[in-house]
Amino acid sequence: MFDDRSPIYQQIADKIKNDVLSGELPADAQVMSTNQYAAFYRINPATAAKAFRQLIDEGVLYKKRGIGMFVSGEARPVLLAQRRERFFREVVDVMLAEARVLGISLDDVVRHIETGRGTQK
Amino acid sequence: MTYSIEARDLRLDYRGSPALRGLDFRLAGGGIYGLIGRNGSGKTSLLSLVASLMKPTSGTLLVDGEDPFENPRTMPDVCLVQDRVKDSGDEMWKVGGYLRTAAALRPHWDQEYADRLVDLFELPQRKRLSSLSLGKRSALNIVIGLASRAPVTIFDEAYVGLDAPSRYAFYDEVLSDYMAHPRTVIMSSHLVEEVDSLFEEVLILDEGRLLAHEDTDDLRSRGVSLTGPTRAVDDLRPGLTVLNEQVLGGTTSITVYGDLDEDTLSHARAAGVEAGPVRLQDLFVHLTRKDRR
């Protein structure tokens, strides 16, 4: 279930963030409880709770006492801004480094993107 | 109801040789704790002391703040499930009668839950224990452990003989019943990969000593594999505990144990070294390897 690359709670937090970004979890939607997450992924509830603590600290989720946890209104715009910044560093820069190794010119890359965009729409 | 468990310089000599060589730890209680170690590392010795099947040779062991040995208050509240039927005299029991006896001994027993588990593991109530397969015996003991709802419930390699679907059914029951009825659960295993995500804390025993006792995620994050050009990897070595090393042509991969700071890691990445995770199972294998002792 988990790829071992980062702590499990981190992976759960990332998954919830992805769901918020994709719109699957809209603002004020309720997320599954700690125990539901623990049973679903077969993990210790303390691990799941750590993920939720982190998401609450980051302002992605908020808690309604006795009811559950919900997606906060500003979660999506904040996450989008963070991801956009990461996109160039972690996706584009990495791709360009690979292109350099392979001897693909920047022009070729740009041309590919432009023609690709044409076919996508 | 949850009980804490505490050991201070706990020692046990068993058949003339030291089985436990001075353990110090405290489990706050109300968690699922993993006890891992190779065969003969002292897991069963430690768990037998907690269940008061034996008396420590020296040192202190406290269950809920009291010495558990022949302690009428704590003994019914500690349920130890082992991978075998304890007493050959039990062989003539029928499954149903064996369960009724267990029910009578356990003050927190839940009969409804026991019935549900008997169905889940398809246990034949009317058969004698002597005619059960190894897997069904394990399942029977697991049912007793779960339905006992004992404040300290211990599964000592309890899955032996269970096939994979039954093992996962067992893990799911441990988890869901623990969440519904929080208690202190200790699971010993060497199938680390299957169960490590259940553990809140892990204790690693090796030759009667406590090698590590940590939050599972913290322990996991201490293991890092570094793979890259041999020279760049060698530059990183000073100050690191290298658990394992593999060389393939000009590429070296080392498994290290310890706290690597972000600075060192980003330097390493810049030099072409890839940092990857180490599975708890591998960490355990490397930490307890014979040539490291």
Side-chain angles (χ1 to χ4, degrees):
Chain A
M1 191 76 69
F2 295 101
D3 66 2
D4 278 329
R5 207 155 297 151
S6 49
I8 292 172
Y9 74 88
Q10 192 69 56
Q11 295 181 45
I12 292 178
D14 287 346
K15 195 190 170 306
I16 293 174
K17 285 181 186 174
N18 282 335
D19 288 347
V20 170
L21 276 171
S22 73
E24 204 157 305
L25 280 174
D28 299 316
Q30 183 167 11
V31 294
M32 288 199 296
S33 72
T34 306
N35 281 4
Q36 283 172 316
Y37 257 92
F40 187 83
Y41 289 112
R42 203 178 272 132
I43 57 171
N44 192 290
T47 308
K50 231 188 272 183
F52 288 118
R53 250 193 328 270
Q54 186 190 324
L55 291 168
I56 287 169
D57 286 347
E58 292 180 12
V60 176
L61 301 181
Y62 64 92
K63 208 174 198 169
K64 276 192 201 165
R65 203 175 291 271
I67 304 176
M69 282 165 298
F70 299 83
V71 178
S72 60
E74 66 271 33
R76 193 158 183 274
V78 169
L79 288 173
L80 269 177
Q82 283 175 3
R83 289 291 175 94
R84 281 182 182 144
E85 192 190 322
R86 260 174 53 187
F87 173 75
F88 285 97
R89 201 175 57 229
E90 293 178 11
V91 179
V92 179
D93 291 352
V94 171
M95 177 189 74
L96 292 179
E98 171 86 2
R100 209 173 306 127
V101 170
L102 298 175
I104 298 171
S105 73
L106 194 57
D107 285 345
D108 283 347
V109 174
V110 171
R111 201 171 308 125
H112 178 83
I113 291 170
E114 281 174 350
T115 51
R117 185 195 277 166
T119 54
Q120 252 177 30
K121 288 195 177 169
Chain B
M1 202 189 300
T2 65
Y3 286 179
S4 65
I5 297 171
E6 193 168 350
R8 290 183 219 134
D9 195 28
L10 182 66
R11 290 169 192 272
L12 176 73
D13 292 339
Y14 186 65
R15 290 180 180 159
S17 55
L20 300 175
R21 303 167 191 246
L23 303 183
D24 290 277
F25 65 84
R26 183 170 196 281
L27 308 180
I32 303 178
Y33 302 92
L35 179 63
I36 61 185
R38 302 180 54 168
N39 292 333
S41 58
K43 300 190 296 288
T44 299
S45 298
L46 172 59
L47 298 176
S48 301
L49 292 181
V50 175
S52 99
L53 302 181
M54 289 190 283
K55 201 175 155 56
T57 306
S58 67
T60 307
L61 177 69
L62 300 173
V63 174
D64 198 31
E66 292 181 22
D67 177 0
F69 190 71
E70 292 184 347
N71 183 327
R73 183 177 76 85
T74 59
M75 277 180 71
D77 284 348
V78 179
C79 184
L80 170 64
V81 174
Q82 290 184 304
D83 62 344
R84 61 197 93 97
V85 175
K86 277 173 210 115
D87 191 332
S88 56
D90 292 343
E91 293 286 319
M92 293 312 288
W93 280 96
K94 286 183 179 164
V95 170
Y98 196 67
L99 283 168
R100 277 192 294 280
T101 310
L105 295 171
R106 299 296 171 186
H108 306 281
W109 184 269
D110 183 330
Q111 187 57 44
E112 214 175 287
Y113 186 40
D115 293 340
R116 202 144 41 83
L117 292 168
V118 163
D119 287 345
L120 176 70
F121 290 106
E122 299 175 76
L123 286 171
Q125 295 261 22
R126 292 197 185 142
K127 277 202 171 168
R128 289 188 197 284
L129 265 57
S130 56
S131 68
L132 292 185
S133 67
L134 185 60
K136 291 288 184 219
R137 279 170 192 241
S138 293
L140 174 61
N141 287 323
I142 283 168
V143 169
I144 291 170
L146 287 167
S148 76
R149 294 261 164 83
V152 178
T153 305
I154 304 171
F155 297 100
D156 183 12
E157 310 247 339
Y159 51 75
V160 170
L162 291 186
D163 54 17
S166 308
R167 284 204 303 279
Y168 283 103
F170 163 47
Y171 304 148
D172 285 343
E173 286 302 326
V174 169
L175 191 56
S176 60
D177 199 57
Y178 159 76
M179 290 192 286
H181 304 273
R183 46 187 156 155
T184 303
V185 177
I186 306 176
M187 294 177 78
S188 89
S189 179
H190 54 246
L191 294 177
V192 182
E193 218 153 334
E194 285 190 0
V195 283
D196 66 355
S197 64
L198 298 184
F199 302 153
E200 189 169 339
E201 293 172 21
V202 173
L203 297 94
I204 302 181
L205 276 186
D206 191 40
E207 298 207 306
R209 293 189 180 87
L210 192 60
L211 212 60
H213 172 205
E214 281 195 83
D215 176 279
T216 312
D217 271 330
D218 289 348
L219 184 64
R220 211 184 269 117
S221 67
R222 270 165 201 280
V224 180
S225 77
L226 300 168
T227 307
T230 299
R231 236 193 23 223
V233 171
D234 283 344
D235 285 346
L236 290 165
R237 272 176 208 255
L240 293 177
T241 308
V242 177
L243 296 179
N244 194 39
E245 172 163 6
Q246 280 179 301
V247 182
L248 182 68
T251 301
T252 295
S253 177
I254 56 176
T255 302
V256 301
Y257 181 68
D259 293 313
L260 268 174
D261 56 281
E262 252 329 293
D263 246 17
T264 315
L265 275 178
S266 63
H267 272 292
R269 278 192 205 103
V273 177
E274 231 175 276
V278 180
R279 292 175 311 172
L280 199 58
Q281 169 96 25
D282 294 334
L283 210 53
F284 159 60
V285 168
H286 295 320
L287 281 170
T288 58
R289 227 171 42 202
K290 257 211 182 92
D291 56 2
R292 291 195 51 79
R293 288 172 175 170

